[in-house]
Structure formats: C-alpha cells, structure tokens
Amino acid sequence: MTSAAAAGTVELRGVAKSFDGQPILRPLDLTVAAGEFLALLGGSGCGKTTLLRIIAGLEVPDAGGVRIGGRDVTSAPPYERPVNMMFQSYAVFPHLDVAANIGYGLRAAGLKPAERLALVEWALALVRLEGLARRRPEQLSGGQRQRVALARCLVKKPAVLLLDEPMAALDRNLREEMQRELVRIQRDVGTTFILVTHDQDEAMSMADRVAVMEAGRIVQCGPPREVYERPANRFVARFVGRVNFLEGVVRESTSAGCRVACGPFEVRVAGAGAPSAGSACTLAIRPERVAVAAPPGAFLNELEGVLAATAYFGDFVRAEFRLADGSRFEATLAAGAPAAGGPSLAPGESVRLGFDADAVVVLGP
Amino acid sequence: MIGPRPGRGTRLALWLPLGWLVATIAVPTGLVLLLAFRRLADRIPPVEPLWSQAAGHGRLNLSLESIVAVATDPLYAAAFGHALANALATTLLCVLIGYPLAYAIALAPARRRPFYLLLAVVPFWTSFLMRTYAWMGLLRDSGPVNSLLLALHLADRPVHLLYSPAGVLIVMVYSYLPFFLLPMYAVLERLPREVLEAAADLGARPFYAFRTVTLPLSLRGLLAGAVLVFIPAMGEYIIPDLVGNTQTILIGGVLWNEFFQNRDWPTAAAIALLTTLTIALPFAAGALLRRRLRAA
C-alpha cells in the first residue's frame, strides 16, 4: 500500500499569491504527510483559505509549485486533482436530493448507476445519514447539510480532503459532536485531511499538526502540544491559548537555563537555548501554570500582584492581576478552589503569584 | 394573522397598486371582452349600443358573429401562425444569444459589470422607431450589412434582407434581446460561485458542470426572460410592417388594421381575445400541471 499511502502527500514549494497587488500568501513551503490531519490556523485574512484553494486548484499560485502524491499539479484544473474540498457554505447542490448530491462526483466520473448506488450507500452510512437519501437540501438542518457535503467528498475516495471552516455555521454542541465525528472518519478512511480554522480549540483537539498562519506566512508548524508549550513568537503564543508576557533583559545564561530581570522581579527560566546575557527578550507564561497565593518558597519564581478582576467560567475562574509596573498578569484557577492560601480573594488584595522555571518560555524577537 | 394589524398607511400601500392594476388591466380587458361580443354599426363608436329599446321592449345586443368570423377565417389563422412562428424564432434566438452574453457579464469582474449592462441597454434610450428606421438603412441591398457580406465573399450578390422574414427576425431579436438579457443576468449573477466550484472540485469538466449545475439552477431566469420576449413579440406589428413583406402579415398588424383602418372594433376585439386565450391557456395549463406535479 505504499503507493496508495504516498498518494496523500501534499508538498507546497515557494507558493505565493497576490490579489490586486495585495500579497495574500508570501512564498511559503508546507509538506503534509499521507494520512496526516493538518490544521491551518489563523485569523481572518491570514491567507489560510487561499492556501486551501490553491491545493484544490480553485486558485493558481503566482509563483511556486504544488505536488500531490508526488505529481506536479500546479496548473491542473480542480477536476483533474485527486483532492476534494468541503466548502464553508457547504455548497450543496440545491436542485439535487441527498443521494444525487453524494453521487454527483461519481456520475461526473462516468460510473454506472449500480456502482454509484453501492458507494452512495456506503457514504450515507459513514456520515450517518441513512434514510435521508431522498431529502432535498432545503429539508435538511445545517448539520445534515454539512454531512452531505462531507459524504459527497469522501465518496470520491480522495487522496486529500480539504475542509474550509467546516464547523463555522454549527452551534456549539453540534460543533463538538462533528469534531469527534470528523476525527473518527479520518481514522477510518485514512485520508489526508487539511482543515482551515480560526478556532484554536478545534485545531488543537483535532489535528496531528497545527500550522499557525499570520499575514500570508506560516509562522509555526508542529504538533498541538509543541505549538502551545513552545510558541515560536508572541503572535503564536497569543493566538493559541491565553498567555502572560514579561519583558526583560537576560542577566546570566547557562546550558541549564537563564535568569532574566523583569523590572523589580527576577525570573528563572529552565532549558537550553536561552539568549546570551545582556540581550532583551520576552517571556511567556501560560495562566494555568501560575499558582495564586502560593506559600513562600514553593516556586522558583514569585511575583507580587494585586487582584483586579475575576471572571467565572464554570469549570474554571480567570483572575486578572496588576503587577508593580502596572502590567496585566492572568492566572487560571480551578473553580472548586478559588485560591490555595485562602477561601476567597477580594479585588484590591495583594497576592503572591508563583510559577516554576519550566513554565517560562523565552520568545524570539 | 401574523404580526401587528396593518395600519392605515399599510392598507393604502396595498390598495393603491391593486387599484392601479384594476384601472390599467381589468377595466380595459373587460372593455375588449364586451366589444368582442358586439355587432359592427354605422355610428360612433362603431358598434351597436349594448342595450337598445325596440318595439316597446329592451334588448341586449350581444352576438358571437365576430368571434366565429375570426375563428373560422383562414386569413386570421395564417397571420396567427406567422406571428407564432416569428415570436418563437425571436425567443429562441434571444435565448441562444442572450444566455452566453448574460453569463459573460455575470462572470466579469464586479466593477465592470454595470458598464457592460449599460452597453447592452444604452441603445434603448433612443426611440424604438428611430432604431427600426436605422436598421432599414443597414439591411438595404446597398447597405452596410450587404457591403460586408460582399466584401467577405460570403455572398456574390446582395442578399434581400429588407422587406423579408429574415430582416424582420433580425430586427425583432435586436429589439427584444434586453428583455431576455436582464432577467437572465439577474439570475446568473446570483448563482452561488461556491456551488459551481464544488462541481469542478467533484470532477465535473466545464461542459458537464454547465449542463448539470449552471443550467438547471438558472432555468428560472431563462424561462422568465423567454416569456418576457415571447409575449410582446407575439403582438409586434411595427417591425413586420416596416421591415417585412406580405409574407410577414402578423396577427398584431392585422389587429391594428382592423381597428384603425377598417374601424371594425368587434373584429379587432375578437382577434385580441382569441390571441390572448390561445397564448394564455397553454401557460395556465403548464403552471397548473407543474403545481400538480410538485404536490404529488
């Protein structure tokens, strides 16, 4: 099955695209392995949808090349690519019923009715739409239309499936259900999935790898845990989850870590690869790594903060503090235990905030 | 009843257009209907009064004479047949020319579309008669169209276009094209681009995608435009009169002659009535059939 597996590789080399002189994609490289689930994560206008449309063949790049399964498809029209796309609007054919929608691509490929029927039934079962074959699109809910759009792609057994913000139009409960469904289906069929999303939770929970995009570039690409725990720069750190930044100057740097002076505080950072002494840097600390009202000496790093506000989210509480220099600092607490040191915290109270050396990431410039 | 009760303003807004429709459609149609069942008379207006006193008792003067005469005279049937053939040919050509044109405008960059539409509509700021006379000049044996045909060796002697059925068709198509183009464009322009992209993405080559997605989704606009061309083309009498010959005596022209030349109002009204019914009945039957099919 090596050849079939390799059919799902996608390689982009130096792909660039402008619209009306406005660069949408700066020359970028991306390789997606066969059977991988990759999420393209970024805000609106970052170029993620354009990138997806270039892979689908709906846009032609100004420069660079696209290879799918080792074959150069840079100038191949969409109907000659082993790729199918699920559109954000689903783009279900309004004049065809569910079965005809799902069978459309098979019919275009010239399959006989009997062959089509078996495949359409397989696809209906895969997306759990059995019994709705004769329904028309206007009789379907948003979630059902989405399943039709998905089945219509999967029935073609594409080497690569592209998904453009597939959950954007669904309500929250349905969205989480469909996210699980998509992961299940991806495991079942083993197709390469490339998902475009602006929702970091979606990208993190579903994908094997997340490519974070900003202004037409891929700024970081790696497994969700790596992107979250070792963000490459401020943008990634802030886009993927919440984060506290501390600006400082490196005092001392060793192979085991470094000490950074951040105003009145000194922060110890664990891990190799720290910048040399004297250089300015930004430190990132995730709020859930911060202990509130920590006993003295329990953590290597300690800050004094004044509680400014709390926000209750049900399963956790987000507390916002002001540091001595006026900057904001966030901490997340489990809702059951408001603070380790006391039963409750009132705004205006001064609290000790503690975090370990390995909770700190030194960001590049 | 959903929502609040309509206020005075709302009721006025509803009654005004209804009143307009009654005044401009129902009343004139009713008058034509009444005229069609009267007898010609040597008076003004040239029909017998609806009600007359004779020998002491009143009499309602209605008759089927004109209806029967129009329905049985082969001259009227021939003129009707010519008009039908001419209107169908005009509609077909408007569809064949107008669809690709509307599609090309709909696919053009959004900024340039209003300009292209303007180009298609701008000749209609000139009077219809002026444009028809201009076409007579163009279609003459020594006119530019024939000069071009001769220069390109597509013809070795002038083709008689003026005063011929072909000439009538050319000017008819020219005149009626915008009535097809605009509704067709409105539908094509609103076709969701992603649906067409989805067809290509699913492996449909351009022509297959057109046949299975674009055409079915734009059929409504095509039918609307075709009806908008066909109905007035059926009653057209100026173009066949100016550009045509004796082979292009169409029912519209006959009606005009009966009314204004012969001052035979009952016959003219009978022609109008029968023509309208002959066209309207198939449309109504089609609409009814479609509703039945949808309900089933």
Side-chain angles (χ1 to χ4, degrees), chain B residues 143-159:
Chain B
V145 172
N146 266 311
S147 308
L148 189 71
L149 288 178
L150 292 175
L152 294 174
H153 299 287
L154 290 170
D156 43 19
R157 74 188 106 123
V159 183

mmCIF file of all heavy atoms in Angstrom, chain B residues 143-159:
data_model
loop_
_atom_site.group_PDB
_atom_site.id
_atom_site.type_symbol
_atom_site.label_atom_id
_atom_site.label_comp_id
_atom_site.label_asym_id
_atom_site.label_seq_id
_atom_site.Cartn_x
_atom_site.Cartn_y
_atom_site.Cartn_z
ATOM 1 N N GLY B 143 -26.844 48.494 -48.390
ATOM 2 C CA GLY B 143 -26.473 48.929 -47.043
ATOM 3 C C GLY B 143 -25.211 48.256 -46.528
ATOM 4 O O GLY B 143 -24.640 47.376 -47.176
ATOM 5 N N PRO B 144 -24.782 48.681 -45.334
ATOM 6 C CA PRO B 144 -23.521 48.187 -44.766
ATOM 7 C C PRO B 144 -23.491 46.667 -44.561
ATOM 8 O O PRO B 144 -22.456 46.046 -44.749
ATOM 9 C CB PRO B 144 -23.434 48.903 -43.412
ATOM 10 C CG PRO B 144 -24.402 50.009 -43.474
ATOM 11 C CD PRO B 144 -25.441 49.658 -44.473
ATOM 12 N N VAL B 145 -24.617 46.069 -44.175
ATOM 13 C CA VAL B 145 -24.622 44.625 -43.923
ATOM 14 C C VAL B 145 -24.281 43.883 -45.209
ATOM 15 O O VAL B 145 -23.422 42.990 -45.227
ATOM 16 C CB VAL B 145 -25.985 44.171 -43.363
ATOM 17 C CG1 VAL B 145 -26.058 42.653 -43.291
ATOM 18 C CG2 VAL B 145 -26.221 44.776 -41.979
ATOM 19 N N ASN B 146 -24.923 44.286 -46.304
ATOM 20 C CA ASN B 146 -24.653 43.632 -47.582
ATOM 21 C C ASN B 146 -23.257 43.940 -48.101
ATOM 22 O O ASN B 146 -22.599 43.069 -48.672
ATOM 23 C CB ASN B 146 -25.714 44.018 -48.611
ATOM 24 C CG ASN B 146 -26.839 42.989 -48.644
ATOM 25 O OD1 ASN B 146 -26.574 41.791 -48.732
ATOM 26 N ND2 ASN B 146 -28.075 43.452 -48.543
ATOM 27 N N SER B 147 -22.782 45.182 -47.885
ATOM 28 C CA SER B 147 -21.416 45.519 -48.294
ATOM 29 C C SER B 147 -20.424 44.588 -47.616
ATOM 30 O O SER B 147 -19.484 44.086 -48.239
ATOM 31 C CB SER B 147 -21.082 46.963 -47.918
ATOM 32 O OG SER B 147 -22.067 47.827 -48.413
ATOM 33 N N LEU B 148 -20.662 44.347 -46.315
ATOM 34 C CA LEU B 148 -19.771 43.481 -45.548
ATOM 35 C C LEU B 148 -19.819 42.054 -46.101
ATOM 36 O O LEU B 148 -18.778 41.414 -46.320
ATOM 37 C CB LEU B 148 -20.192 43.501 -44.073
ATOM 38 C CG LEU B 148 -19.225 42.809 -43.114
ATOM 39 C CD1 LEU B 148 -17.954 43.628 -42.978
ATOM 40 C CD2 LEU B 148 -19.868 42.606 -41.750
ATOM 41 N N LEU B 149 -21.039 41.568 -46.345
ATOM 42 C CA LEU B 149 -21.191 40.196 -46.865
ATOM 43 C C LEU B 149 -20.459 40.047 -48.198
ATOM 44 O O LEU B 149 -19.794 39.044 -48.445
ATOM 45 C CB LEU B 149 -22.671 39.856 -47.037
ATOM 46 C CG LEU B 149 -23.467 39.630 -45.752
ATOM 47 C CD1 LEU B 149 -24.929 39.352 -46.074
ATOM 48 C CD2 LEU B 149 -22.879 38.477 -44.948
ATOM 49 N N LEU B 150 -20.584 41.079 -49.047
ATOM 50 C CA LEU B 150 -19.934 41.018 -50.360
ATOM 51 C C LEU B 150 -18.420 41.087 -50.205
ATOM 52 O O LEU B 150 -17.684 40.325 -50.832
ATOM 53 C CB LEU B 150 -20.428 42.163 -51.250
ATOM 54 C CG LEU B 150 -21.899 42.069 -51.684
ATOM 55 C CD1 LEU B 150 -22.307 43.319 -52.461
ATOM 56 C CD2 LEU B 150 -22.132 40.819 -52.530
ATOM 57 N N ALA B 151 -17.963 42.002 -49.317
ATOM 58 C CA ALA B 151 -16.521 42.184 -49.130
ATOM 59 C C ALA B 151 -15.880 40.911 -48.597
ATOM 60 O O ALA B 151 -14.753 40.580 -48.941
ATOM 61 C CB ALA B 151 -16.263 43.354 -48.185
ATOM 62 N N LEU B 152 -16.604 40.198 -47.755
ATOM 63 C CA LEU B 152 -16.053 38.961 -47.171
ATOM 64 C C LEU B 152 -16.303 37.745 -48.065
ATOM 65 O O LEU B 152 -15.986 36.635 -47.696
ATOM 66 C CB LEU B 152 -16.674 38.708 -45.790
ATOM 67 C CG LEU B 152 -16.334 39.729 -44.702
ATOM 68 C CD1 LEU B 152 -17.135 39.454 -43.435
ATOM 69 C CD2 LEU B 152 -14.839 39.689 -44.389
ATOM 70 N N HIS B 153 -16.900 38.001 -49.241
ATOM 71 C CA HIS B 153 -17.235 36.930 -50.190
ATOM 72 C C HIS B 153 -18.149 35.876 -49.580
ATOM 73 O O HIS B 153 -18.087 34.705 -49.922
ATOM 74 C CB HIS B 153 -15.964 36.275 -50.752
ATOM 75 C CG HIS B 153 -15.116 37.272 -51.497
ATOM 76 N ND1 HIS B 153 -15.467 37.762 -52.736
ATOM 77 C CD2 HIS B 153 -13.964 37.872 -51.161
ATOM 78 C CE1 HIS B 153 -14.539 38.636 -53.124
ATOM 79 N NE2 HIS B 153 -13.624 38.716 -52.193
ATOM 80 N N LEU B 154 -18.966 36.305 -48.629
ATOM 81 C CA LEU B 154 -19.965 35.396 -48.073
ATOM 82 C C LEU B 154 -21.193 35.356 -48.983
ATOM 83 O O LEU B 154 -22.035 34.490 -48.873
ATOM 84 C CB LEU B 154 -20.364 35.839 -46.666
ATOM 85 C CG LEU B 154 -19.268 35.640 -45.608
ATOM 86 C CD1 LEU B 154 -19.649 36.310 -44.303
ATOM 87 C CD2 LEU B 154 -18.996 34.157 -45.390
ATOM 88 N N ALA B 155 -21.281 36.345 -49.875
ATOM 89 C CA ALA B 155 -22.371 36.380 -50.853
ATOM 90 C C ALA B 155 -21.816 36.981 -52.135
ATOM 91 O O ALA B 155 -20.936 37.837 -52.095
ATOM 92 C CB ALA B 155 -23.520 37.239 -50.318
ATOM 93 N N ASP B 156 -22.302 36.513 -53.301
ATOM 94 C CA ASP B 156 -21.794 37.100 -54.544
ATOM 95 C C ASP B 156 -22.742 38.150 -55.105
ATOM 96 O O ASP B 156 -22.419 38.845 -56.061
ATOM 97 C CB ASP B 156 -21.451 36.025 -55.585
ATOM 98 C CG ASP B 156 -22.492 34.940 -55.654
ATOM 99 O OD1 ASP B 156 -23.624 35.199 -55.171
ATOM 100 O OD2 ASP B 156 -22.183 33.844 -56.159
ATOM 101 N N ARG B 157 -23.944 38.237 -54.543
ATOM 102 C CA ARG B 157 -24.792 39.377 -54.873
ATOM 103 C C ARG B 157 -25.603 39.725 -53.626
ATOM 104 O O ARG B 157 -25.728 38.869 -52.732
ATOM 105 C CB ARG B 157 -25.687 39.054 -56.073
ATOM 106 C CG ARG B 157 -26.846 38.113 -55.765
ATOM 107 C CD ARG B 157 -27.532 37.715 -57.047
ATOM 108 N NE ARG B 157 -27.173 36.334 -57.340
ATOM 109 C CZ ARG B 157 -28.089 35.382 -57.492
ATOM 110 N NH1 ARG B 157 -29.365 35.670 -57.465
ATOM 111 N NH2 ARG B 157 -27.735 34.127 -57.719
ATOM 112 N N PRO B 158 -26.110 40.963 -53.520
ATOM 113 C CA PRO B 158 -26.777 41.390 -52.279
ATOM 114 C C PRO B 158 -27.882 40.426 -51.852
ATOM 115 O O PRO B 158 -28.626 39.910 -52.694
ATOM 116 C CB PRO B 158 -27.368 42.755 -52.643
ATOM 117 C CG PRO B 158 -26.521 43.242 -53.766
ATOM 118 C CD PRO B 158 -26.087 42.024 -54.531
ATOM 119 N N VAL B 159 -27.943 40.151 -50.567
ATOM 120 C CA VAL B 159 -28.994 39.313 -50.003
ATOM 121 C C VAL B 159 -30.154 40.233 -49.640
ATOM 122 O O VAL B 159 -29.956 41.262 -48.993
ATOM 123 C CB VAL B 159 -28.477 38.592 -48.740
ATOM 124 C CG1 VAL B 159 -29.541 37.663 -48.185
ATOM 125 C CG2 VAL B 159 -27.200 37.829 -49.043
#
